[in-house]
């Protein structure tokens, strides 16, 4: 696999749907378009093939500026178009395109080399800022993620909304790699397929293209809520869990999904344990340490929160819970 670079866009790109995109752009491709301000804005979309909001927003942005000069040069990367053609996050033989970037924990591959090459190219172009666009599965509000708590990063995140998540794991994400050379964010635009998700991302990209500079002043604290991920919660392997099967070992509460980005008090019940004496879940902090008992207890077969916390990414999708995790737990950061 070789990185393809292109300096014009085919007309078909403006109308093609994400599933057919692969017929037009069969390999990962980096586009460069000129604009009034020379330092380019960088946008990556479809690092996860089933997360289409970023591509649809980018398409609308390109249509908007089709007949006029861009206010700033724009470079954009269309990632895993092959997985997109099948509506999948990635194909079985592929690495996750949002774990391949410099500082990754994956072994070297064509994909990790490609990611390094893109970063080098954009560093040479003195990239102005970087935006990577994603969707998630549960009932989550829109928010931006950053890996540095510096004023420019907070400003870029705050332009999308007041909700910001600061994280340092997983490694090898696009956002973390670009953070070494420019202000960088990941947008989480809710579930794929929602028109208001596309509109919000489009509005944001348009604002970023019109930004002339970042200020070094701190973001006013009343305008922003920054949370830090303190644990990833998984269900122990082999534990039979469900949201409705009364025979499962762990019967999870169907209301869990409503708890995303809400302060949940200690004592709140998350589910019931049936014919199973052990704690059915594990919580691991960002340095890989077990912190289960800090957050959860098992009392009279009820799985309960031990402390006040704020979950994110809770989903009712049992497949996603198995492949990825049940949720993340967060704490508010005082800026
Ligand atoms: Zn994603």
């Amino acid at each position: 696999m070789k990185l393809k670079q292109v300096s014009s866009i085919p007309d078909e790109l403006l109308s093609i749907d994400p599933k057919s995109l692969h017929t037009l752009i069969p390999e990962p491709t980096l586009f460069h378009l000129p604009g009034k301000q020379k330092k380019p804005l960088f946008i990556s979309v479809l690092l996860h093939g089933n997360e289409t909001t970023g591509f649809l927003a980018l398409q609308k942005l390109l249509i908007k500026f089709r007949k006029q000069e861009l206010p700033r040069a724009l470079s954009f990367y269309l990632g895993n178009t092959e997985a997109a053609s099948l509506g999948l996050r990635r194909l079985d033989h592929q690495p996750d395109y949002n774990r391949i970037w410099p500082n990754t924990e994956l072994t070297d591959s064509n994909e990790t080399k490609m990611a390094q090459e893109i970063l080098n190219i954009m560093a040479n172009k003195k990239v102005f800022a970087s935006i990577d666009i994603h969707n998630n599965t549960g009932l989550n509000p829109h928010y931006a993620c950053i890996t540095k708590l510096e004023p420019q990063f907070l400003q870029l995140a705050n332009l999308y909304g007041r909700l910001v998540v600061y994280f340092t794991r997983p490694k090898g994400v696009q956002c973390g790699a670009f953070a070494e050379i420019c202000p960088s964010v990941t947008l989480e635009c809710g579930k794929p397929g929602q028109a208001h998700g596309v509109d919000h991302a489009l509005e944001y990209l348009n604002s970023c293209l019109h930004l002339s500079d970042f200020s070094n002043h701190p973001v006013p604290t009343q305008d922003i809520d920054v949370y830090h991920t303190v644990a990833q919660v998984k269900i122990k392997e082999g534990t039979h869990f469900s949201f409705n099967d009364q025979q499962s070992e762990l019967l999870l509460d169907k209301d869990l999904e409503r708890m995303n980005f809400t302060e949940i008090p200690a004592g709140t019940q998350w589910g019931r344990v049936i014919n199973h004496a052990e704690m059915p879940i594990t919580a691991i902090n960002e340095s890989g340490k077990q912190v289960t008992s800090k957050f959860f207890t098992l009392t009279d077969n009820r799985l309960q929160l031990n402390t006040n916390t704020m979950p994110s990414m809770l989903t009712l999708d049992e497949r996603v819970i198995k492949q990825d995790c049940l949720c993340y737990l967060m704490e508010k950061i005082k800026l």
Side-chain angles (χ1 to χ4, degrees):
M1 181 196 306
K2 211 176 160 297
L3 175 68
K4 209 174 153 193
Q5 291 191 76
V6 181
S7 55
S8 68
I9 48 175
D11 282 342
E12 300 93 308
L13 188 67
L14 302 181
S15 58
I16 201 161
D17 66 279
K19 282 212 159 133
S20 315
L21 177 61
H22 185 237
T23 59
L24 185 67
I25 312 289
E27 62 259 302
T29 304
L30 181 58
F31 291 79
H32 303 290
L33 304 177
K36 202 174 276 172
Q37 305 216 48
K38 298 301 167 222
K39 292 180 179 176
L41 180 71
F42 178 68
I43 301 170
S44 58
V45 300
L46 292 174
L47 296 191
H48 294 144
N50 58 336
E51 300 174 11
T52 52
T53 292
F55 174 71
L56 296 172
L58 175 67
Q59 209 172 31
K60 288 194 169 186
L61 187 78
L62 296 173
I63 293 169
K64 179 177 160 65
F65 287 101
R66 191 179 191 181
K67 298 247 155 67
Q68 39 173 310
E69 189 187 20
L70 285 159
R72 172 177 294 285
L74 174 66
S75 294
F76 63 89
Y77 174 62
L78 303 180
N80 201 339
T81 60
E82 195 181 357
S85 72
L86 299 168
L88 296 173
R89 180 182 173 100
R90 64 176 174 92
L91 303 184
D92 280 340
H93 70 272
Q94 293 175 325
D96 185 321
Y97 272 39
N98 201 25
R99 301 289 183 273
I100 56 176
W101 299 82
N103 200 23
T104 178
E105 289 170 337
L106 301 181
T107 49
D108 282 354
S109 63
N110 289 334
E111 287 87 356
T112 59
K113 282 178 206 146
M114 172 181 65
Q116 177 74 63
E117 191 185 348
I118 295 170
L119 191 73
N120 294 348
I121 292 167
M122 294 316 299
N124 282 335
K125 287 184 177 287
K126 303 200 170 9
V127 56
F128 172 68
S130 166
I131 303 159
D132 182 29
I133 312 180
H134 289 256
N135 293 104
N136 49 47
T137 47
L139 204 61
N140 290 287
H142 295 174
Y143 58 95
C145 304
I146 50 176
T147 59
K148 286 185 179 175
L149 288 169
E150 294 165 13
Q152 300 192 336
F153 287 69
L154 290 164
Q155 270 172 56
L156 188 62
N158 198 204
L159 264 181
Y160 187 60
R162 65 176 298 127
L163 204 53
V164 177
V165 172
Y166 165 72
F167 73 108
T168 55
R169 285 202 152 260
K171 301 289 180 196
V173 296
Q174 192 273 26
C175 172
F178 274 83
E180 298 304 314
I181 58 171
C182 67
S184 165
V185 291
T186 299
L187 304 186
E188 289 288 352
C189 305
K191 294 182 186 183
Q194 296 177 326
H196 75 279
V198 176
D199 293 344
H200 189 191
L202 170 64
E203 200 183 298
Y204 176 78
L205 296 178
N206 189 40
S207 308
C208 291
L209 268 183
H210 283 91
L211 267 183
S212 54
D213 228 327
F214 293 101
S215 96
N216 283 318
H217 295 294
V219 173
T221 51
Q222 71 271 17
D223 294 344
I224 191 165
D225 293 316
V226 185
Y227 293 89
H228 175 40
T229 308
V230 288
Q232 185 189 41
V233 182
K234 292 190 173 205
I235 298 187
K236 280 188 188 159
E237 206 151 324
T239 305
H240 180 220
F241 71 95
S242 167
F243 288 92
N244 40 47
D245 178 4
Q246 303 289 330
Q247 302 306 312
S248 55
E249 292 169 299
L250 172 61
L251 183 62
L252 289 164
D253 201 305
K254 281 198 195 85
D255 283 337
L256 276 186
E257 205 183 22
R258 295 178 198 283
M259 295 184 189
N260 283 330
F261 287 91
T262 310
E263 299 265 10
I264 307 297
T268 303
Q269 180 172 326
W270 278 38
R272 280 188 303 123
V273 167
I274 303 155
N275 302 324
H276 191 81
E278 280 170 45
M279 175 60 78
I281 60 176
T282 57
I284 306 280
N285 73 9
E286 285 214 309
S287 34
K289 257 184 70 187
Q290 275 271 2
V291 287
T292 314
S293 60
K294 184 181 170 200
F295 293 101
F296 294 97
T297 115
L298 210 51
T299 317
D300 301 331
N301 292 331
R302 285 173 311 184
L303 177 63
Q304 286 181 329
L305 271 187
N306 229 350
T307 177
N308 298 352
T309 188
M310 182 183 272
S312 70
M313 304 281 243
L314 275 164
T315 167
L316 301 182
D317 187 328
E318 292 173 13
R319 192 182 49 88
V320 171
I321 294 173
K322 269 190 206 131
Q323 276 182 354
D324 193 12
C325 65
L326 176 62
C327 68
Y328 292 88
L329 302 177
M330 303 185 300
E331 273 171 9
K332 191 161 182 176
I333 294 179
K334 276 220 169 79
L335 291 176

